[in-house]
Amino acid sequence: MKKIVYVMKSFAVKAGVERVMSDKMNYLAGQGYEVVMVTYEQGQHPDAFPLHPAIRHLDLGVPFFPIMKYGLLKRLPKIRRLRQLFKARLQALLDAEQPDVLIVSTCSIKLMDIVLSAKTRARKMIESHAPCYAVKKSVYYQDRPLLRMLAVLYDKWMLGQAAKAYLLVTLTEGDAREWRSYIPRIEVIPNPVTKYPDAVKPHDGSGHRIICAGRLNKEKRFDLLIDAFARIAADCPEWTVDIFGEGADRPMLLDRIARYGLADRIIIHEPTSDIYSEYQDSEFYVLSSLYEGFGLVLVEAMSCGIPCVAFRCKYGPEDIIADRQDGLLVEDGNVVALADAMLWMIRHPEERLRMGKAAREAVARYQKPVVMQRWMDLFEKSE
């Protein structure tokens, strides 16, 4: 079996990417692969999720986040020194480990050029966990023409580095279309569902709970979810929304909930290690994201027999949900449409139950043995 080195920013946050990576690495280690997880900003933080005892976690100790407190002029030379340190330490590690496969995630896009230029016999791959357009710096400068122009040039150079990889693995067909502008060799492999319960808690349509989960940041747009529920709250007085996550937007979201007078009906909880129990104690899931690399939470919820309501965001929901068959898809960013879809789910318990059963059957294709066999075929494939 081959030795695989994964390069990641950190493995400290209980979130979707970290859970997916632990699932994949644990599966590979269980199949006999030698897996080394390399982080560079882990510090003293504990691992977010349990890892197979055979997996080695090595941290390069090159934290970039502290320099964000400095202004741009002071930050640039510090970034240069940290990049040099990262390059040296990564190269030393690769020289010692001699991996067969080296994988870098698009979550580390700013260092992708260094990883892909490293001197190693390993086959280099890129693993996309965020859509191509979402990793571009230019998306953050829409209203600042000069900075946007510079960012566009930076994006062209940085994403052009992808061509140095043997191939890029993306999660959806839509994202693959965008990445082909930078690298021709692409495989589409969805994320595996963490677990596919052998049996799920039966629902009779009498519950009154909506569930959501994810980082509390602008990309997840929980503010739009709150706005949507506020529009229908008076029409469904018994219903509540439970959000599981942590992040910088928590104070803003709590303030928004309070202004609507819904503090007892929209509850923000800390992340949980047993999200599957929470899914099964809910009637349906709502995804309000600006974008998704894939939409793993949809697959997880559906595996528990509950349907989902989601914006048609880039990319993922339309790959996973069959509209009106096992869930509902609405116009991206349309709060009124989201509210209407949620209210439809609430008022149609029989259809909701039917969709939940169909959803569980549909996502059986994302079980780990099915998805991970495709990864192992890639690793074992000759040139």
Side-chain angles (χ1 to χ4, degrees), residues 272-292:
T272 174
S273 57
D274 191 16
I275 191 67
Y276 277 77
S277 293
E278 303 296 344
Y279 290 138
Q280 295 193 51
D281 284 334
S282 307
E283 299 306 307
F284 64 96
Y285 186 96
V286 178
L287 184 137
S288 54
S289 298
L290 174 64
Y291 62 81
E292 285 287 335

Side-chain angles (χ1 to χ4, degrees), residues 168-375:
L168 180 144
V169 179
T170 188
L171 300 167
T172 64
E173 292 291 348
D175 195 32
R177 287 193 294 272
E178 290 200 40
W179 273 111
R180 285 194 180 98
S181 298
Y182 304 99
I183 176 171
R185 199 166 192 172
I186 291 179
E187 292 281 343
V188 179
I189 304 179
N191 281 330
V193 64
T194 299
K195 65 179 179 181
Y196 187 87
D198 294 330
V200 297
K201 181 179 179 179
H203 289 75
D204 60 10
S206 63
H208 302 99
R209 186 200 201 198
I210 301 166
I211 186 171
C212 323
R215 285 188 174 95
L216 306 181
N217 59 24
K218 62 182 179 181
E219 287 81 10
K220 299 302 180 183
R221 295 194 295 198
F222 286 119
D223 54 334
L224 299 192
L225 166 68
I226 293 166
D227 292 347
F229 186 72
R231 296 181 66 90
I232 65 172
D235 298 316
C236 52
E238 294 180 316
W239 283 75
T240 60
V241 177
D242 286 277
I243 301 171
F244 290 84
E246 61 184 0
D249 279 2
R250 182 183 180 91
M252 178 273 288
L253 296 173
L254 290 174
D255 179 68
R256 202 178 198 92
I257 293 167
R259 282 192 280 113
Y260 280 123
L262 294 172
D264 59 338
R265 298 185 58 193
I266 304 179
I267 312 299
I268 299 179
H269 305 267
E270 295 295 322
T272 174
S273 57
D274 191 16
I275 191 67
Y276 277 77
S277 293
E278 303 296 344
Y279 290 138
Q280 295 193 51
D281 284 334
S282 307
E283 299 306 307
F284 64 96
Y285 186 96
V286 178
L287 184 137
S288 54
S289 298
L290 174 64
Y291 62 81
E292 285 287 335
F294 175 59
L296 183 64
V297 287
L298 298 177
V299 178
E300 292 176 343
M302 292 166 74
S303 76
C304 292
I306 66 172
C308 301
V309 176
F311 282 138
R312 294 180 182 269
C313 66
K314 292 183 178 182
Y315 289 104
E318 291 185 277
D319 287 49
I320 298 168
I321 297 172
D323 190 32
R324 298 284 168 179
Q325 297 179 39
D326 51 33
L328 299 177
L329 294 167
V330 302
E331 181 186 5
D332 187 29
N334 189 328
V335 172
V336 174
L338 184 65
D340 289 345
M342 293 166 65
L343 191 58
W344 188 92
M345 277 287 189
I346 288 169
R347 288 179 169 173
H348 295 82
E350 291 185 4
E351 288 90 341
R352 187 173 74 237
L353 292 173
R354 176 188 60 76
M355 284 185 176
K357 292 178 181 177
R360 177 167 160 77
E361 294 174 1
V363 299
R365 66 187 187 275
Y366 297 112
Q367 292 182 75
K368 265 184 274 191
V370 178
V371 173
M372 293 309 299
Q373 184 58 55
R374 296 176 64 182
W375 275 103

Side-chain angles (χ1 to χ4, degrees), residues 47-283:
D47 290 341
F49 297 97
L51 294 174
H52 190 286
I55 295 174
R56 287 183 295 130
H57 179 182
L58 307 176
D59 188 67
L60 299 179
V62 189
F64 284 79
F65 64 88
I67 66 174
M68 298 309 294
K69 64 184 179 183
Y70 297 103
L72 183 60
L73 292 179
K74 286 187 176 180
R75 195 187 311 161
L76 289 176
K78 293 179 183 294
I79 290 175
R80 183 172 180 274
R81 287 195 293 272
L82 286 171
R83 281 173 56 86
Q84 290 174 336
L85 180 61
F86 173 83
K87 180 178 180 179
R89 291 184 177 178
L90 176 66
Q91 188 63 61
L93 182 143
L94 294 175
D95 290 344
E97 295 292 336
Q98 292 294 308
D100 299 293
V101 180
L102 174 63
I103 302 178
V104 60
S105 165
T106 51
C107 297
S108 296
I109 192 76
K110 295 176 182 178
L111 297 172
M112 188 172 70
D113 63 311
I114 295 176
V115 178
L116 296 179
S117 298
K119 296 177 181 178
T120 173
R121 66 181 178 83
R123 178 178 291 175
K124 299 168 186 173
M125 299 183 184
I126 304 170
E127 195 170 320
S128 177
H129 285 285
C132 181
Y133 85 93
V135 300
K136 296 179 180 179
K137 292 184 74 67
S138 53
V139 302
Y140 300 106
Y141 300 107
Q142 299 296 326
D143 302 323
R144 303 171 72 179
L146 179 58
L147 289 176
R148 176 172 168 74
M149 182 178 68
L150 294 173
V152 167
L153 293 174
Y154 175 84
D155 290 338
K156 184 177 180 179
W157 175 79
M158 180 57 76
L159 273 67
Q161 301 298 307
K164 296 178 180 178
Y166 168 72
L167 64 76
L168 180 144
V169 179
T170 188
L171 300 167
T172 64
E173 292 291 348
D175 195 32
R177 287 193 294 272
E178 290 200 40
W179 273 111
R180 285 194 180 98
S181 298
Y182 304 99
I183 176 171
R185 199 166 192 172
I186 291 179
E187 292 281 343
V188 179
I189 304 179
N191 281 330
V193 64
T194 299
K195 65 179 179 181
Y196 187 87
D198 294 330
V200 297
K201 181 179 179 179
H203 289 75
D204 60 10
S206 63
H208 302 99
R209 186 200 201 198
I210 301 166
I211 186 171
C212 323
R215 285 188 174 95
L216 306 181
N217 59 24
K218 62 182 179 181
E219 287 81 10
K220 299 302 180 183
R221 295 194 295 198
F222 286 119
D223 54 334
L224 299 192
L225 166 68
I226 293 166
D227 292 347
F229 186 72
R231 296 181 66 90
I232 65 172
D235 298 316
C236 52
E238 294 180 316
W239 283 75
T240 60
V241 177
D242 286 277
I243 301 171
F244 290 84
E246 61 184 0
D249 279 2
R250 182 183 180 91
M252 178 273 288
L253 296 173
L254 290 174
D255 179 68
R256 202 178 198 92
I257 293 167
R259 282 192 280 113
Y260 280 123
L262 294 172
D264 59 338
R265 298 185 58 193
I266 304 179
I267 312 299
I268 299 179
H269 305 267
E270 295 295 322
T272 174
S273 57
D274 191 16
I275 191 67
Y276 277 77
S277 293
E278 303 296 344
Y279 290 138
Q280 295 193 51
D281 284 334
S282 307
E283 299 306 307

